[in-house]
Amino acid sequence: MIRVLLAEGQGTVHGALGLLLGLEKDIDVVAQVGRGDEIVDAALTARPDVALLDVDLPGLGGLDAAARLHDEAPECRVLMLTTVARPDQLRRALAGGAAGILVKDGPVTELTAAIRAVLRGETVIDPALAPPD
């Protein structure tokens, strides 16, 4: 089972993503938080394999929370989720230790594939955020 921590901002339908991920046979959402300043404590308690962090979180932004999580629980792979594709987010996410970043409105099948990929040690970047060649 892949243990997932989910941190969703207020702009999302609270709990919907957690329910969708819970339908996957190999994914268990072990913690859900709504604020960036709750992420590290939740991760240290629940010990997720992967943390899905919304870029826009109250309390502490998701990008800053990702860097703290990387320092406090380096074994947890971080996958960022964003509503608006801004290339600066990609740079900040990777610099902060995230294993990838996706635009939220993609299909759940892409998200679950990305969760499995980052757990294997791969980096996942949504094409909408990739720098032009």
Side-chain angles (χ1 to χ4, degrees):
M1 274 303 240
I2 302 169
R3 299 170 54 82
V4 173
L5 178 149
L6 178 58
E8 292 183 276
Q10 294 175 342
T12 59
V13 179
H14 187 70
L17 185 55
L19 290 173
L20 288 173
L21 292 173
L23 296 174
E24 297 293 313
K25 292 180 182 180
D26 62 339
I27 294 177
D28 183 19
V29 178
V30 295
Q32 290 189 53
V33 298
R35 298 177 51 88
D37 51 9
E38 298 171 334
I39 291 170
V40 171
D41 287 343
L44 293 175
T45 300
R47 295 291 181 197
D49 301 305
V50 177
L52 297 177
L53 309 183
D54 191 337
V55 167
D56 297 313
L57 290 170
L60 179 68
L63 294 168
D64 293 326
R68 285 191 186 173
L69 183 58
H70 181 70
D71 290 342
E72 296 289 329
E75 69 283 356
C76 179
R77 304 286 289 167
V78 175
L79 184 60
M80 303 300 304
L81 302 173
T82 184
T83 304
V84 180
R86 295 192 328 250
D88 65 304
Q89 292 175 338
L90 170 61
R91 180 188 49 76
R92 283 194 60 209
L94 297 178
I101 185 167
L102 295 174
V103 176
K104 275 194 229 182
D105 62 0
V108 74
T109 53
E110 287 181 15
L111 178 59
T112 56
I115 290 169
R116 294 176 185 104
V118 298
L119 192 58
R120 291 190 303 267
E122 298 174 29
T123 300
V124 177
I125 299 171
D126 193 299
L129 292 157
D133 290 337

